[in-house]
Amino acid sequence: MKDKMIQIGKENSLSITWEEACFFGFFILLSVTKGLGFYEGQKVFMLLVVPALALGLAKIMLSSYTKRQLIMQVFFLLLTAVVYYNSRELGIIFLAFTVLGMKNIPVRKVFHVGLWVWSVCAVCLSIFSFFRLEHTIYRVHAKMGLGHIFRWSLGFTHPNILHITYLALCAFILYQMGENYKFRHFIYLMAGNVLVFLYSVSYTGFGIVAVLLMGCLYVRLRPKFCIVEKMLANLILPVCLILSFVLPFYINDHWTSAYVQKLNFMLNTRIWLAEQFLKSEYRSLFGADISKVVKSSMTLDNSYVWGYINYGLIAFAIIMLGYFALLFYDTHKQKTRELVILACFLGAGWTEQLLFNTSFKNITLIFLGAFLFMQKEGAKEYSLFSI
């Protein structure tokens, strides 16, 4: 399939493979869907998602793989089908098609496309919502010692989602800028962070964006990490898992409970909610449809616990192993900028759902997919059609 090209334009024609055409069709459609704030339950959401997933599946089927990759693809596709059947969560398909579709797709090209699509969507939606502010989704919470105040989402489903969208947009920008990122760019993007905060009033969103911006400035000064910095980078995921799965059990009847409860208060009961979900009725090997047992008043803003209870132990463990391997590889290869982005998104996953649901804002899946399909030059490849 690699030799079959689509020619675009007459002069200085741009050539892309059918594989790339399918992947970018999938990626752009889902980016537009979520970038314009559509969500499950809306007809327009399904009208965009169905062709996107069809293109994502076509991309996977069109690609050729080594024997190891072929076995891996079949296994992961079967696991995805089983998890979706049990959980009825589209997020597992979004995640799987993004990662498994990265064969022969350049990471930089994905970030370039992502930057343009998400920028246009975010600007258009924000401007449109600004002039229809009273008709957009908002929340009223006690914040900043000012009593109950309005938190605006500017067209997204929640004010926190507005700030997570800005996080993803900043990550696209910083990756594309690379070594050209300087202090003045930090000031511009931090000013944007403050502006978004004035609408979202999301402390966690503001904090993680600030860490991302400062982290990418830091790696400009420290392009190579020492052993201590490498260890700290590799500790990000274990710490997030401990905070997600161990800390909630210390919220009551323990000498540390007073401190945990204070942290729980600061995080708007996120730790208590995680403890409510970490019960035997929510555990499974291959995922479960928790909408049948979860109360409508309960929400879970923790990507790790959310992924575990929705997708089951097997799928969740495989995803975590992939991230552990990616962190080790990036530290070994001194990919410091990617490490900062990866660490910030993994950290954000502790207080937000963005990593594994249908938000399609976890751009680290692009790194994970590229890492998964690394191979030696000249390795013999086979098509899925040949099995």
Side-chain angles (χ1 to χ4, degrees):
M1 286 295 173
K2 293 181 182 178
D3 57 337
K4 294 183 179 180
M5 301 288 201
I6 302 172
Q7 299 292 335
I8 303 175
K10 294 181 178 179
E11 297 182 2
N12 301 319
S13 62
L14 173 67
S15 298
I16 63 172
T17 65
W18 283 107
E19 293 176 66
E20 290 177 330
C22 288
F23 180 84
F24 285 114
F26 157 79
F27 184 80
I28 290 170
L29 280 173
L30 286 190
S31 296
V32 169
T33 302
K34 302 309 297 183
L36 293 179
F38 299 127
Y39 52 89
E40 288 184 78
Q42 294 178 312
K43 287 184 179 180
V44 66
F45 176 86
M46 293 308 299
L47 286 173
L48 291 169
V49 166
V50 169
L53 296 184
L55 287 169
L57 182 60
K59 159 61 181 74
I60 293 170
M61 300 303 291
L62 286 171
S63 297
S64 296
Y65 307 95
T66 64
K67 284 185 178 179
R68 179 186 66 84
Q69 292 171 351
L70 197 59
I71 294 169
M72 181 179 64
Q73 284 289 67
V74 173
F75 171 76
F76 286 147
L77 287 173
L78 288 174
L79 179 61
T80 299
V82 171
V83 171
Y84 176 72
Y85 177 80
N86 288 332
S87 68
R88 294 294 188 263
E89 262 295 333
L90 276 173
I92 189 64
I93 304 180
F94 285 22
L95 185 157
F97 282 13
T98 302
V99 174
L100 301 181
M102 279 299 295
K103 178 69 189 286
N104 298 326
I105 304 295
V107 171
R108 184 161 291 278
K109 190 179 289 187
V110 179
F111 271 80
H112 180 76
V113 172
L115 174 59
W116 278 102
V117 174
W118 279 93
S119 296
V120 171
C121 288
V123 170
C124 290
L125 183 62
S126 297
I127 292 174
F128 179 75
S129 300
F130 180 79
F131 290 104
R132 301 179 68 255
L133 206 56
E134 68 277 13
H135 301 295
T136 61
I137 297 173
Y138 62 86
R139 296 288 187 273
V140 179
H141 291 150
K143 291 272 188 176
M144 303 171 66
L146 300 175
H148 287 81
I149 61 175
F150 284 95
R151 301 177 61 202
W152 303 98
S153 61
L154 295 184
F156 293 99
T157 53
H158 194 281
N160 288 355
I161 302 300
L162 169 63
H163 223 119
I164 290 300
T165 301
Y166 187 69
L167 171 68
L169 191 56
C170 285
F172 279 123
I173 293 170
L174 294 171
Y175 185 87
Q176 283 297 103
M177 291 191 71
E179 295 299 321
N180 295 320
Y181 178 59
K182 295 181 172 60
F183 185 72
R184 69 174 185 274
H185 303 120
F186 167 81
I187 297 297
Y188 299 151
L189 293 173
M190 185 58 78
N193 193 24
V194 172
L195 179 62
V196 173
F197 177 78
L198 293 177
Y199 286 94
S200 72
V201 197
S202 172
Y203 297 127
T204 52
F206 178 85
I208 200 66
V209 171
V211 171
L212 174 67
L213 299 180
M214 290 186 289
C216 285
L217 206 58
Y218 177 78
V219 298
R220 284 273 290 128
L221 303 174
R222 295 276 300 170
K224 290 189 176 182
F225 283 172
C226 67
I227 186 67
V228 175
E229 291 164 322
K230 289 181 179 181
M231 288 177 61
L232 290 173
N234 278 282
L235 281 173
I236 291 293
L237 187 53
V239 169
C240 287
L241 291 174
I242 291 170
L243 291 174
S244 298
F245 293 98
V246 178
L247 186 64
F249 294 107
Y250 289 85
I251 198 168
N252 294 309
D253 304 322
H254 194 268
W255 66 270
T256 60
S257 296
Y259 302 103
V260 177
Q261 287 174 5
K262 286 181 181 179
L263 181 60
N264 180 58
F265 175 77
M266 292 171 60
L267 294 172
N268 293 322
T269 71
R270 282 178 169 91
I271 299 174
W272 176 81
L273 284 167
E275 190 266 339
Q276 296 299 302
F277 281 92
L278 290 173
K279 295 180 178 178
S280 58
E281 58 262 38
Y282 300 120
R283 298 172 191 166
S284 65
L285 287 177
F286 296 102
D289 185 358
I290 64 167
S291 64
K292 296 177 181 178
V293 290
V294 174
K295 298 176 184 178
S296 59
S297 59
M298 293 175 67
T299 57
L300 179 60
D301 291 330
N302 183 309
S303 293
Y304 302 100
V305 178
W306 189 95
Y308 167 65
I309 64 176
N310 276 279
Y311 302 151
L313 177 62
I314 303 298
F316 181 75
I318 290 172
I319 295 167
M320 291 302 101
L321 285 173
Y323 272 115
F324 273 115
L326 179 60
L327 281 167
F328 180 81
Y329 174 79
D330 281 353
T331 51
H332 178 68
K333 294 295 183 180
Q334 294 285 3
K335 294 189 172 186
T336 52
R337 184 173 298 99
E338 288 89 335
L339 270 174
V340 170
I341 295 173
L342 184 58
C344 286
F345 273 78
L346 290 176
W350 180 47
T351 58
E352 302 295 341
Q353 281 188 18
L354 81 155
L355 294 183
F356 312 122
N357 64 0
T358 55
S359 69
F360 204 64
K361 296 178 180 65
N362 182 10
I363 63 174
T364 65
L365 294 175
I366 299 167
F367 298 143
L368 193 59
F371 170 71
L372 187 67
F373 290 109
M374 289 189 305
Q375 66 185 63
K376 294 180 180 179
E377 290 283 340
K380 189 175 181 181
E381 295 186 341
Y382 306 85
S383 169
L384 277 170
F385 292 111
S386 65
I387 62 174

